């Protein structure tokens, strides 16, 4: 199996099953070309201040950025707690906005190691561990990123992700059947298609929310539909089990995508979900970005 790099969103890596992940660095790029004039959409009773607008500037000063990240993460997780307790299928708008700001902060940290170290040093210990894993994961994917043309971007198909609770349920069932941790499946789905938001096939033919090549799907898809999240997640667990998981996740994830940066990113995201399962819901609300010749453009999420 060989690694194939192609253009999509940020970078399109051909799909699962030893053929490289489908959309590995789609969002971990440069700051999105968002309007700084967007007004904040309300306030949160759990937040210390206004909910950040989509284009709110990210502080450059380490102390201010650390304070911003701490406040954002605290408000985001409080919002996630309320959302999951409510049993609502879709996240409230303020959770989506906090998650977008959270994502944009980590893209900034991933591109500036000096800034990241300074910010992490100013965070409380549990949040510092989270920041290290997120900055590491985003940075590894950033290193794999390539820009795409406007013509290719125009052909991309995007859609709303299935409810987070539904996706997590599929992952838990896959873990019970194959012994592959649901957190690893979640991290792969995040990296590949932002939980199914990207519906386009890769330039090499990888398909579905977990990005399978046709030949690999035939071997591990168990007769399912590659475009259905339930079937694709189950097949990913089947493939990872066959290639080394749960005994050797590094070997299994490397088989999924022959790039150690991809492996590092997936396992760092998975580690954070294990540390705090609320991270799954935060990642679920991270959006799709594409790197164009003129910079980064956000394709999904609030405007």
């Amino acid at each position: 199996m060989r690694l194939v790099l192609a253009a999509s969103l940020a970078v399109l890596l051909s799909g699962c099953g030893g053929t490289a992940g489908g959309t590995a660095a789609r969002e971990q790029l440069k700051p999105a070309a968002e309007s700084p004039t967007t007004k904040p959409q309300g306030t949160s009773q759990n937040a210390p201040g206004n909910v950040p607008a989509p284009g709110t500037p990210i502080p450059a000063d380490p102390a201010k950025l650390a304070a911003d990240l701490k406040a954002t993460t605290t408000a985001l997780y409080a919002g996630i707690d309320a959302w999951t307790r409510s049993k609502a299928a879709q996240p409230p708008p303020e959770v989506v906005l906090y998650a977008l700001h959270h994502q944009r902060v980590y893209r900034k940290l991933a591109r500036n190691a000096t800034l990241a170290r300074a910010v992490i040093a100013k965070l409380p210990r549990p949040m510092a561990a989270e920041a290290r894993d997120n900055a590491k994961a985003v940075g590894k994917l950033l290193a794999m990123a390539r820009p795409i043309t406007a013509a290719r971007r125009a052909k991309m198909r995007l859609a709303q992700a299935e409810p987070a609770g539904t996706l997590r349920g599929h992952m838990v069932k896959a873990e019970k059947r194959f012994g592959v941790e649901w957190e690893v499946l979640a991290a792969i789905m995040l990296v590949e298609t932002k939980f199914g938001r990207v519906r386009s096939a890769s330039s090499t033919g990888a398909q579905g929310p977990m990005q399978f090549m046709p030949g690999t799907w035939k071997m591990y898809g168990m007769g399912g539909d590659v475009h259905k999240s339930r079937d694709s997640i189950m097949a990913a667990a089947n493939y990872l089990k066959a290639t080394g998981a749960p005994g050797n996740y590094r070997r299994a994830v490397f088989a999924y995508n022959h790039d150690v940066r991809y492996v590092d990113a997936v396992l760092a995201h998975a580690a954070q979900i294990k540390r705090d399962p609320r991270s799954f819901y935060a990642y679920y609300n991270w959006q799709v970005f594409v790197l164009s010749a003129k910079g980064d453009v956000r394709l999904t999420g609030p405007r």
Side-chain angles (χ1 to χ4, degrees):
M1 306 286 187
R2 63 189 179 88
L3 176 66
V4 182
L5 290 179
S8 179
L9 290 184
V11 63
L12 184 60
L13 302 175
S14 63
C16 157
T19 58
T23 56
R26 281 190 162 109
E27 59 75 33
Q28 291 88 347
L29 302 168
K30 299 178 181 179
E34 299 160 344
S35 170
T37 61
T38 305
K39 295 181 180 179
Q41 301 181 18
T43 59
S44 168
Q45 61 183 6
N46 299 314
N50 290 341
V51 177
T56 298
I58 306 298
D61 175 76
K64 291 180 180 179
L65 184 50
D68 181 81
L69 179 56
K70 180 179 178 181
T72 297
T73 304
T74 299
L76 173 60
Y77 284 172
I80 288 170
D81 286 338
W83 168 34
T84 54
R85 284 196 303 266
S86 75
K87 307 297 184 182
Q90 298 301 324
E94 64 185 33
V95 167
V96 177
L97 286 165
Y98 276 119
L100 175 59
H101 194 74
H102 182 253
Q103 178 186 16
R104 292 176 61 228
V105 168
Y106 280 115
R107 295 205 330 273
K108 185 179 183 74
L109 294 180
R111 291 186 300 274
N112 188 328
T114 300
L115 178 63
R117 286 193 295 270
V119 168
I120 291 169
K122 297 179 183 299
L123 295 172
R125 182 171 297 178
M127 199 173 291
E130 173 180 354
R132 277 191 293 271
D133 276 340
N134 281 338
K136 174 183 178 180
V138 175
K140 295 290 184 177
L141 297 173
L142 170 64
M144 301 170 71
R146 292 183 181 179
I148 69 170
T149 65
R152 183 164 178 80
R153 187 170 76 242
K155 294 179 180 179
M156 288 180 59
R157 293 188 298 112
L158 303 168
Q160 184 174 348
E162 290 183 44
T166 299
L167 295 177
R168 180 172 176 174
H170 296 331
M171 294 168 190
V172 170
K173 288 180 181 178
E175 178 178 3
K176 289 179 179 178
R177 179 169 177 178
F178 292 103
V180 176
E181 294 170 345
W182 77 267
E183 297 92 341
V184 175
L185 296 169
I188 289 174
M189 196 176 194
L190 162 68
V191 169
E192 293 294 341
T193 61
K194 287 296 181 292
F195 296 102
R197 287 181 176 84
V198 179
R199 298 294 176 88
S200 305
S202 78
S203 62
T204 56
Q207 300 179 23
M210 301 295 277
Q211 290 286 279
F212 276 90
M213 293 295 288
T216 310
W217 180 260
K218 185 176 181 180
M219 294 176 63
Y220 296 96
M222 300 175 290
D225 184 340
V226 70
H227 298 292
K228 290 186 177 180
S229 295
R230 177 191 59 194
D231 295 348
S232 195
I233 289 168
M234 196 66 69
N238 185 21
Y239 180 77
L240 290 168
K241 174 72 171 181
T243 54
N248 190 333
Y249 278 109
R250 290 200 67 85
R251 183 173 70 184
V253 178
F254 185 80
Y256 210 100
N257 180 332
H258 293 5
D259 194 309
V260 294
R261 297 168 297 184
Y262 179 94
V263 177
D264 290 343
V266 165
L267 296 184
H269 278 317
Q272 175 52 31
I273 299 172
K274 292 177 189 178
R275 184 182 297 116
D276 189 336
R278 292 177 298 181
S279 295
F280 165 73
Y281 297 95
Y283 294 149
Y284 172 83
N285 286 287
W286 280 17
Q287 302 299 330
V288 177
F289 286 80
V290 57
L291 181 62
S292 72
K294 296 182 179 180
D296 206 33
V297 179
R298 180 164 56 88
L299 300 182
T300 63
R303 299 296 172 183

